Amino acid sequence: MSELDGVVDHLRGGQHFIIASHQRPDGDAIGSAMAAALALRALGKYTDVVFDAPPPQFLQPFPGVGQLRIATRIDETYDGAIIMECGALDRTGVAGLDRSPVLNIDHHLGNTRYGRVNWVDESAAACTELIFSLIERLETPLTREIATHIYLGILTDTGSFHFSHMTPRTFEIARRCVEAGADPQWIARTHYDSSTLGRVKIFGAVLNEMTLDPSGQVAVLTITDALATAAGATLDDTEGLINFPLTVKEIQAVAFFKEMADGMWRVSLRSKGNVDVRAIASQFGGGGHVNAAGCSATGELTLLRRTFTQLMAAAVAQSKEHSEDKPRRA
Ligand SMILES: [Mn+2]
């Protein structure tokens, strides 16, 4: 029995479900949770979707997002708690989900397989690819609303079709979603072109302070509370900022330090090609994908910046050796 079979059996056998994903949800977290919820509701099943806080403003216009349940603990039990996109259960920020049998659906490396039922497929470019496969198996209609959420997850998790883990199936699913009525322009404009003025100002302030390593291939960005406040922005406004340095041809890897409480820094990492930033994040207890990963670190900022710059420069150098061994196929 495949892992997908296990999920399908469990869903067919139940009537009441709750779906959750990770804190500070992105397009794939919202897309996979909502697409699955809409499909289960189409089967006549009662389905709640819970997040610990309201999602960012640019995800609010997507179908059904206005009716999310916002809670940090769940006291009821359901026939299943379906957790999307979470390497570990505590990433939901919602307590009590494990009162119900947990179904763990994810595409991240390093998932701890914490569910009663686990379906972890690291080959999927987005968790919504898995939900597309699930919907095919459940034989529920691919409505325009569901297709919109599946496309949203693919669009955002591939960095607008930029990252390395896309497959022909990624495009096949995107095509099927567009055929079903998903509007690529509306989805992209709603997600990416809904900036606040504070967001544009914080981009300018953070990029102005960007530093490069001596090779010019590794960039480091930092945002402090003071910088955000001066720009009239919040940390939410920095969503997507990290991808900006990678538009510079020479830059191969980026680290973005965000100030949290008590001397702690959230460190997001991005890279191009086979520069492996997940391996760096995992040294600090984090995780993610080869080209997009994150972790937390505590310490003095200057030292942390130096440490991550060196680790990323080494990863860039290693990727070059690797690519000389194995030339890319044309
Ligand atoms: Mn994802």
Side-chain angles (χ1 to χ4, degrees):
M1 195 168 89
S2 74
E3 292 188 337
L4 171 56
D5 291 333
V7 171
V8 169
D9 282 358
H10 193 100
L11 295 179
R12 287 212 172 111
Q15 192 56 32
H16 292 79
F17 293 98
I18 187 162
I19 301 180
S21 187
H22 55 80
Q23 292 175 288
R24 301 176 59 79
D26 56 14
D28 196 31
I30 289 288
S32 54
M34 287 308 306
L38 293 168
L40 289 172
R41 288 173 193 160
L43 288 172
K45 297 180 190 292
Y46 177 87
T47 308
D48 280 332
V49 180
V50 65
F51 280 89
D52 70 320
Q57 161 269 335
F58 55 85
L59 291 170
Q60 301 274 353
F62 288 88
V65 175
Q67 288 102 52
L68 296 176
R69 179 170 170 186
I70 306 300
T72 53
R73 80 167 291 116
I74 297 294
D75 293 316
E76 310 96 291
T77 56
Y78 294 78
D79 297 325
I82 309 164
I83 314 299
M84 307 287 187
E85 278 258 282
C86 291
L89 188 57
D90 61 3
R91 291 215 57 214
T92 60
V94 179
L97 290 165
D98 52 3
R99 291 165 173 273
S100 310
V102 168
L103 288 84
N104 164 19
I105 302 180
D106 190 19
H107 69 127
H108 290 89
L109 292 165
N111 184 291
T112 57
R113 303 187 71 85
Y114 51 83
R116 182 174 302 181
V117 178
N118 297 286
W119 179 24
V120 181
D121 182 351
E122 292 142 2
S123 72
C127 197
T128 62
E129 281 194 11
L130 303 181
I131 304 309
F132 182 90
S133 301
L134 175 65
I135 287 168
E136 281 186 318
R137 282 289 304 276
L138 292 172
E139 298 181 339
T140 56
L142 184 64
T143 63
R144 185 167 59 84
E145 287 74 21
I146 292 174
T148 296
H149 279 292
I150 289 173
Y151 186 96
L152 170 67
I154 289 174
L155 180 73
T156 57
D157 256 32
T158 61
S160 302
F161 302 102
H162 272 56
F163 298 155
S164 61
H165 51 288
M166 289 174 283
T167 64
R169 181 157 170 82
T170 309
F171 290 90
E172 168 63 12
I173 295 172
R175 181 182 74 80
R176 294 272 302 278
C177 288
V178 174
E179 278 177 354
D183 179 345
Q185 173 168 277
W186 182 85
I187 295 167
R189 287 219 173 272
T190 301
H191 185 278
Y192 294 114
D193 300 346
S194 302
S195 287
T196 58
L197 186 58
R199 178 172 156 89
V200 173
K201 287 191 168 178
I202 198 71
F203 269 50
V206 170
L207 291 170
N208 205 37
E209 301 294 323
M210 180 175 83
T211 58
L212 293 173
D213 80 322
S215 76
Q217 296 179 105
V218 173
V220 177
L221 304 171
T222 305
I223 184 166
T224 59
D225 281 338
L227 197 64
T229 306
T234 66
L235 277 186
D236 275 352
D237 290 318
T238 64
E239 177 72 33
L241 202 171
I242 190 170
N243 296 316
F244 231 82
L246 292 180
T247 64
V248 177
K249 187 178 179 199
E250 291 76 15
I251 295 177
Q252 301 299 315
V254 185
F256 187 9
F257 288 83
K258 295 171 200 169
E259 187 175 21
M260 311 306 272
D262 304 323
M264 173 124 96
W265 296 86
R266 178 76 200 151
V267 191
S268 300
L269 305 170
R270 296 289 185 275
S271 66
K272 291 175 182 166
N274 56 5
V275 178
D276 184 0
V277 291
R278 189 191 68 87
I280 298 171
S282 67
Q283 291 179 41
F284 292 83
H289 306 287
V290 170
N291 291 139
C295 58
S296 296
T298 308
E300 204 276 310
L301 180 63
T302 312
L303 290 174
L304 288 175
R305 286 172 58 106
R306 192 181 302 150
T307 301
F308 276 84
T309 301
Q310 286 166 354
L311 288 169
M312 289 197 300
V316 170
Q318 198 179 18
S319 78
K320 295 239 155 70
E321 285 167 23
H322 194 66
S323 66
E324 277 157 25
D325 292 345
K326 272 195 272 179
R328 288 173 73 105
R329 279 172 297 175

